[in-house]
Amino acid sequence: MSAPIIAPHKGFAHALRKLGLSFATGLALFVSTGCAVLPTPMLIDRASAPPQTIACADWYAALDMQTDLAGVRDAGAARIVGFPHLRVDRFTASLLGGQAPHIAAVLARLQQLDLSARRFELANLPPQTLAQLAGSATVPANPSALWLRTQDCAQNLGAYTLASQERTASLLQRLHVPDDYATSYRLLGAYALTRYPFASGIRRFEAQRSAVFASAAHPPTTSLLLSPPTQPSASALRTDQIRSMLAPLPQDILRVPAPTPGQTQQLLTHFAPSFRLAIESDDDKPGALVWRPGPTPTMDDTLEVDTQTPVVYTHIAHTRYGPHSLLQLVYTLWFPARPVAAGSMLDLLAGKLDGITWRVTLAPDGTPLVYDTIHPCGCYHMFFPTPAAQAKPAPQPGIEWAFIPQTLPHLTAQQQLVVHVAAGTHYIDRVSIDPTPSTASTTATAAHYAWRSYDSLRSMPTFVYMPSPASIAQAASQPTHRSIFGPDGFIAHTDRIERFIFWPMGIPRAGAMRQWGKHATAFVGRRHFDDSALMEQRFKFDPVHFKP
């Protein structure tokens, strides 16, 4: 793939001069990176803009150049052409509408999305690059100082954007997230015809899974029951407390639920499931993702799962339902691999890393409306509605709409969900209700998992060799932190053979593990796990749970 060419502008050239590079050298560097993207020029009138605004536009040009050269771009939220200080996700794009105060509130969320990504990108830059950026900005050569410089410039450029109706209108026209389907694949693969045999295969798979859910399943011979970290029973949340935590801030014109970090952890704990895992090998044991040292100082670190430490990675998300923004709690486990099936000469689905992402969507009163799940490849999307959700029919036959293998009841304060996971495939076989979540089953080894933030995966410590005098310069060019996700949102070396079969359905690298915000979940049709309309399109919720 060749690098797209963006016409040079004074800010880019100025940034290159500050970094000691000619424009030709900088361009050559970008072209040499293949699919790297040149810094997006800021939509700025350099003849009339204040000097500080021009300096900030130049700062973003330099920052973007070094970020892309180092290959540390965070792909979670989409960049906005012409506005390098802002990024957008599907939920924030759905908040558009209203007058100037509403637009300013949306812009503040876009700005926060970018600043969050910039924090990880800066942390993942090698020391040598940090020193170059620090020299151009006359600040200390550490990620925190450079992020503060970025934060100051974000405020400046944000005010500059809002000061002009023309610039604001241009921004609003660009607030969309490209979907994660490659239309060119579907055209080349004759999707209009090939979707039919693929749809037939998907229906067979769903029928097989439905049969497993309907069967009187017996516990596996060897299993592991992973429960949430213990907490005093007195700390269990009351309904009124949950409702209060889910309330938007009084001054928030967008009306988005805004629990504090402490409240978020309380909610994650309160609604956390247990996982009963069938164990046939170490690949069935979840753990913490870590960077292991490469065999030599010149070879890349490798990403592995430490199965000695059961971990669930958590974060919150949001979805829309009419005028309401709903909070979602997201839990992800990672396994070392999906192993080759026993007796199989060629397993299309096997490969390095696997996982389960479990999500609960909450009503404003704290009632769980729908649970749903995928693997981190975006595969095997299943929905588990509660009595508060009524499924809607698909708008057209043949597409993947909402596979519902099981419905779930409302839980009492003494009950907890247990997600049963098969060995090898890591398919979810059923979901049961454990009335005594703190008591281990007699047929399973019991343990508690630990909490970690999903965001920690965006910048994890790497192994740094102690440099000798001859290799100090080399060490300075190596990052001390790395994201597990590449600039394209994929986890390297997790591709499956299935991608050579499923590409006509339009999903690039089908089966590969990918970052939140990059999960296309339907081969037939189009569906994204983080689509802000996903739940509203598929379910009608009981209005009693939306009353003030």
Side-chain angles (χ1 to χ4, degrees):
M1 177 178 178
S2 60
I5 301 300
I6 297 177
H9 71 304
K10 293 180 181 178
F12 180 47
H14 178 63
L16 288 172
R17 286 196 299 271
K18 283 189 172 184
L19 295 169
L21 298 172
S22 66
F23 178 80
T25 302
L27 183 59
L29 285 170
F30 274 103
V31 172
S32 71
T33 63
C35 290
V37 179
L38 290 172
T40 304
M42 174 71 190
L43 288 180
I44 183 173
D45 182 357
R46 302 182 72 87
S48 61
Q52 183 59 32
T53 300
I54 295 174
C56 282
D58 291 344
W59 166 248
Y60 269 96
L63 183 59
D64 278 334
M65 184 186 72
Q66 294 290 13
T67 298
D68 287 323
L69 283 175
V72 299
R73 179 69 66 186
D74 186 278
R79 300 171 69 193
I80 305 172
V81 175
F83 298 88
H85 58 298
L86 306 174
R87 301 192 200 196
V88 62
D89 59 14
R90 292 186 171 91
F91 171 72
T92 306
S94 74
L95 298 175
L96 286 179
Q99 301 304 312
H102 188 103
I103 294 171
V106 170
L107 186 140
R109 290 187 64 91
L110 301 175
Q111 183 174 294
Q112 190 53 48
L113 284 171
D114 182 75
L115 285 172
S116 175
R118 297 283 180 182
R119 184 188 291 273
F120 296 113
E121 290 167 354
L122 284 165
N124 296 337
L125 287 173
Q128 182 174 284
T129 302
L130 293 174
Q132 289 178 318
L133 284 170
S136 69
T138 63
V139 297
N142 62 72
S144 296
L146 292 169
W147 186 81
L148 289 175
R149 163 67 171 161
T150 305
Q151 186 179 44
D152 290 342
C153 278
Q155 297 292 340
N156 183 293
L157 296 181
Y160 178 79
T161 300
L162 287 175
S164 162
Q165 290 185 351
E166 182 181 358
R167 285 191 294 271
T168 302
S170 179
L171 168 64
L172 298 181
Q173 292 172 359
R174 301 167 192 229
L175 284 191
H176 69 278
V177 179
D179 75 19
D180 291 292
Y181 290 84
T183 301
S184 59
Y185 286 18
R186 287 189 163 184
L187 291 173
L188 291 172
Y191 170 81
L193 298 175
T194 55
R195 63 177 175 166
Y196 293 106
F198 278 97
S200 177
I202 290 166
R203 295 292 174 261
R204 287 196 300 272
F205 173 80
E206 292 178 348
Q208 293 168 358
R209 300 314 305 159
S210 294
V212 172
F213 273 83
S215 67
H218 297 283
T221 303
T222 304
S223 64
L224 171 64
L225 180 64
L226 281 181
S227 300
T230 55
Q231 62 170 342
S233 58
S235 67
L237 298 177
R238 302 188 310 271
T239 301
D240 62 315
Q241 290 177 309
I242 297 173
R243 180 189 287 271
S244 176
M245 292 176 181
L246 296 178
L249 295 174
Q251 68 272 23
D252 181 14
I253 194 173
L254 301 178
R255 309 299 295 162
V256 178
T260 66
Q263 291 172 337
T264 297
Q265 188 55 58
Q266 286 181 287
L267 290 168
L268 287 164
T269 301
H270 184 84
F271 292 101
S274 291
F275 296 91
R276 183 161 185 161
L277 310 165
I279 306 295
E280 291 182 356
S281 73
D282 285 346
D283 287 330
D284 299 323
K285 298 175 182 178
L289 286 164
V290 294
W291 287 113
R292 300 292 192 197
T296 70
T298 59
M299 297 187 69
D300 264 353
D301 295 343
T302 58
L303 186 63
E304 296 182 3
V305 175
D306 178 7
T307 58
Q308 300 301 310
T309 308
V311 165
V312 169
Y313 291 87
T314 61
H315 70 284
I316 62 170
H318 300 87
T319 191
R320 296 286 290 172
Y321 188 76
H324 303 280
S325 293
L326 307 181
L327 189 76
Q328 297 177 308
L329 306 173
V330 188
Y331 308 82
T332 300
L333 296 88
W334 292 95
F335 300 97
R338 172 165 173 159
V340 175
S344 175
M345 294 292 293
L346 180 66
D347 190 335
L348 301 180
L349 308 179
K352 181 178 179 179
L353 289 190
D354 198 6
I356 292 172
T357 295
W358 178 264
R359 178 170 66 181
V360 53
T361 300
L362 300 176
D365 70 353
T367 299
L369 299 168
V370 175
Y371 303 89
D372 66 330
T373 179
I374 56 170
H375 287 206
C377 54
C379 320
Y380 317 121
H381 196 173
M382 296 188 289
F383 297 84
F384 302 88
T386 71
Q390 178 183 351
K392 296 179 181 180
Q396 63 186 86
I399 63 172
E400 291 183 76
W401 185 242
F403 175 43
I404 302 174
Q406 183 181 353
T407 59
L408 297 175
H410 287 310
L411 302 183
T412 68
Q414 291 73 39
Q415 293 177 321
Q416 185 180 61
L417 292 180
V418 181
V419 180
H420 296 249
V421 181
T425 62
H426 307 136
Y427 293 151
I428 293 178
D429 282 345
R430 64 188 175 103
V431 181
S432 64
I433 310 299
D434 187 345
T436 55
S438 61
T439 303
S441 168
T442 56
T443 60
T445 302
H448 293 286
Y449 56 74
W451 299 115
R452 288 197 187 174
S453 169
Y454 183 88
D455 276 348
S456 68
L457 301 176
R458 298 162 76 182
S459 182
M460 296 199 314
T462 59
F463 184 88
V464 180
Y465 286 89
M466 293 300 294
S468 65
S471 61
I472 291 177
Q474 178 185 337
S477 67
Q478 302 302 312
T480 61
H481 287 72
R482 286 179 62 191
S483 172
I484 72 167
F485 308 106
D488 54 5
F490 293 92
I491 302 180
H493 312 301
T494 63
D495 291 277
R496 272 55 169 165
I497 300 175
E498 66 176 291
R499 68 189 186 279
F500 297 116
I501 308 297
F502 283 89
W503 68 266
M505 299 299 98
I507 299 181
R509 297 173 64 177
M513 305 295 112
R514 56 201 77 201
Q515 186 173 359
W516 179 267
K518 307 295 290 183
H519 292 113
T521 68
F523 285 115
V524 183
R526 289 179 185 246
R527 185 178 62 190
H528 294 84
F529 198 56
D530 64 326
D531 186 344
S532 62
L534 179 74
M535 296 298 173
E536 183 175 34
Q537 290 173 345
R538 287 159 180 79
F539 297 96
K540 179 181 179 181
F541 295 145
D542 188 339
V544 71
H545 300 296
F546 291 78
K547 293 180 178 179

